[in-house]
């Protein structure tokens, strides 16, 4: 199981593209995985024959766990560990005593098998990880284990943390659906489960607040129409998203608190702008990251946005392209939504939602005029960002878009 991001400790096997006995070439797609950040096909690390699959489809395994075996040409087949010999009878006919079983791992070792993310969730909820029964390999406590534990109100045993206080939500489990007619039951996909966990964690972690600005895109639309053929000749499609990304990057330079994160009681200011662009897939949502986006001009941003979106839909993203984001833009408007109230992509502290861009009647100089307009919504973490700072940031984005510098196009 590959490392698909510095904060990701496990992944779920969605499907095996190759079967036992198949010949595989190096870098040929071998299996498909999903995590809370990426859905990707994993290439084979070597050429040979797939001789064994140890992690089945649907299994969730930890990073660096062995999920299969490839026999490389010229290698001897891997010998499996022989079974323990059966006890032989002694001379008097009585069976020999069986060899003593290996000493089980200590309770402490079992209890603390967990990822840094799981331990952080435990700390934030004043919970001892030892209270959570792990379902991962070797009793490892997974993120799903701890979120389900918190969702049950700390389980049946009373759920007292080290301080003796309840450590999670006290709500009862949600109501079960009643069968009132024709219906079909399907399990959540692995990707949908990961998204659900990530969204619940974000709502539990950040104090979400939203602010909405109505922005005039008429100037942007004029520049886009003037330059779209020129950009097409350079292999780029000039979209509203490229203009929005440029306006956001320029505003983040003036408001670095929006490009920061929280680490306990410390604020971590990110020097680079690594811009996440949410991409809708048939099975969910993924957020590829454009690294060092602040170093790109409008043409570079246009190419980068199109590139990561295309490869996200083709499941060709690299592990490093789905983590390390410092700010995210999501676009519910592409389906016609006027605006949305997006959930922050942890551990970031803000996210921008883009509503549909369309012509509307607006008041201009005491008269009614038709302008190309859109609502932009900023979701921000009120633990770190005050409303005044958020509104100043949005006012700068509005200014950048309504008076876009033609020299940057």
């Amino acid at each position: 199981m590959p490392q698909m991001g510095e904060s990701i400790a496990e992944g779920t096997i969605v499907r095996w593209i190759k079967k036992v006995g198949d010949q595989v070439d190096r870098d040929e797609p071998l299996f498909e995985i999903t995590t809370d950040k990426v859905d990707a096909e994993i290439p084979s690390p070597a050429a040979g024959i797939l001789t064994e699959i140890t992690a089945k489809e649907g299994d969730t395994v930890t990073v660096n766990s062995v999920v299969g075996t490839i026999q490389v040409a010229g290698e001897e087949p891997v010998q499996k560990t022989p079974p323990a010999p059966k006890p032989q009878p002694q001379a008097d006919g009585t069976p020999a005593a069986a060899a003593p079983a290996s000493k089980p791992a200590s309770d402490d070792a079992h209890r603390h098998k967990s990822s840094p993310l799981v331990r952080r969730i435990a700390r934030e909820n004043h919970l001892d990880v030892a209270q959570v029964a792990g379902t991962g390999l070797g009793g490892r406590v997974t993120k799903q284990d701890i979120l389900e534990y918190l969702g049950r109100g700390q389980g049946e045993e009373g759920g007292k943390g080290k301080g003796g206080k309840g450590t999670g939500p006290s709500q009862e489990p949600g109501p079960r659906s009643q069968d009132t007619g024709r219906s079909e039951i399907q399990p959540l996909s692995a990707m949908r489960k990961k998204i659900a966990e990530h969204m619940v964690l974000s709502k539990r972690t950040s104090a979400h607040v939203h602010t909405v600005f109505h922005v005039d895109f008429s100037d942007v639309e004029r520049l886009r129409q003037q330059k779209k053929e020129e950009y097409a000749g350079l292999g780029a499609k000039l979209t509203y998203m490229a203009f929005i990304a440029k306006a956001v990057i320029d505003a983040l330079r003036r408001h670095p608190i929006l490009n920061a994160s929280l680490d306990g009681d410390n604020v971590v200011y990110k020097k680079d702008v690594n811009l996440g662009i949410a991409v809708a897939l048939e099975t969910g949502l993924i957020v590829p990251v454009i690294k060092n986006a602040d170093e790109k001009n409008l043409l570079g941003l246009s190419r980068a946005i199109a590139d990561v979106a295309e490869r996200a839909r083709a499941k060709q993203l690299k592990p490093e392209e789905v983590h390390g984001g410092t700010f995210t833009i999501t676009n519910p408007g592409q389906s016609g939504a006027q605006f949305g109230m997006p959930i922050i992509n942890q551990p970031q502290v803000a996210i921008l939602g883009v509503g549909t861009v369309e012509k509307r009647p607006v008041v201009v100089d005491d008269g009614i005029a038709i302008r190309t307009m859109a609502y932009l919504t900023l979701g921000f973490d009120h633990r770190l960002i005050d409303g005044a700072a958020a509104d100043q940031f949005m006012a700068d984005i509005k200014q950048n878009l309504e008076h876009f510098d033609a020299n940057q196009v």
Side-chain angles (χ1 to χ4, degrees), residues 348-394:
Q348 298 166 29
V349 293
I351 182 171
L352 184 74
V354 180
T356 189
V357 182
E358 61 184 5
K359 289 185 177 181
R360 297 176 190 145
V362 295
V363 176
V364 178
D365 296 329
D366 294 329
I368 301 297
I370 303 300
R371 293 287 188 268
T372 302
M373 306 292 295
Y375 290 104
L376 300 185
T377 302
L378 181 72
F380 60 96
D381 190 341
H382 212 340
R383 295 179 304 164
L384 179 63
I385 302 166
D386 289 329
D391 288 341
Q392 289 165 8
F393 172 73
M394 289 296 289

Side-chain angles (χ1 to χ4, degrees), residues 121-198:
I121 296 172
R123 286 196 306 272
E124 290 173 350
N125 289 275
H126 311 291
L127 173 67
D128 185 353
V129 177
Q131 294 179 265
V132 183
T135 61
L137 292 179
R140 185 185 186 94
V141 178
T142 68
K143 182 170 66 174
Q144 185 173 359
D145 292 334
I146 196 167
L147 290 178
E148 288 180 352
Y149 185 87
L150 290 168
R152 291 195 301 266
Q154 310 312 305
E156 298 177 357
E157 64 272 19
K160 300 294 182 181
K162 288 184 176 180
K165 296 181 179 179
T167 58
S170 59
Q171 71 270 21
E172 295 296 323
R176 298 178 66 88
S177 61
Q178 300 297 319
D179 186 3
T180 58
R182 292 164 56 86
S183 60
E184 179 183 357
I185 298 174
Q186 293 184 352
L188 285 175
S189 68
M191 186 179 192
R192 194 73 253 165
K193 287 181 181 177
K194 297 296 183 182
I195 292 173
E197 293 170 6
H198 197 58

Side-chain angles (χ1 to χ4, degrees), residues 4 15 17 26-33 37-44 191 279 281 286-289 304 306-322:
M4 298 300 291
R15 68 184 178 103
I17 300 169
R26 182 181 176 85
D27 295 328
E28 184 179 8
L30 188 60
F31 59 96
E32 184 179 330
I33 70 166
K37 291 188 177 180
V38 68
D39 189 8
E41 293 179 350
I42 304 304
S44 174
M191 186 179 192
V279 178
L281 308 177
I286 193 169
V287 185
V289 177
D307 174 60
V308 295
E310 180 179 344
R311 289 190 292 111
R313 296 186 179 103
K315 300 179 181 178
Q316 297 299 319
L317 290 173
K318 300 174 183 177
E320 62 269 19
E321 293 176 311
V322 293

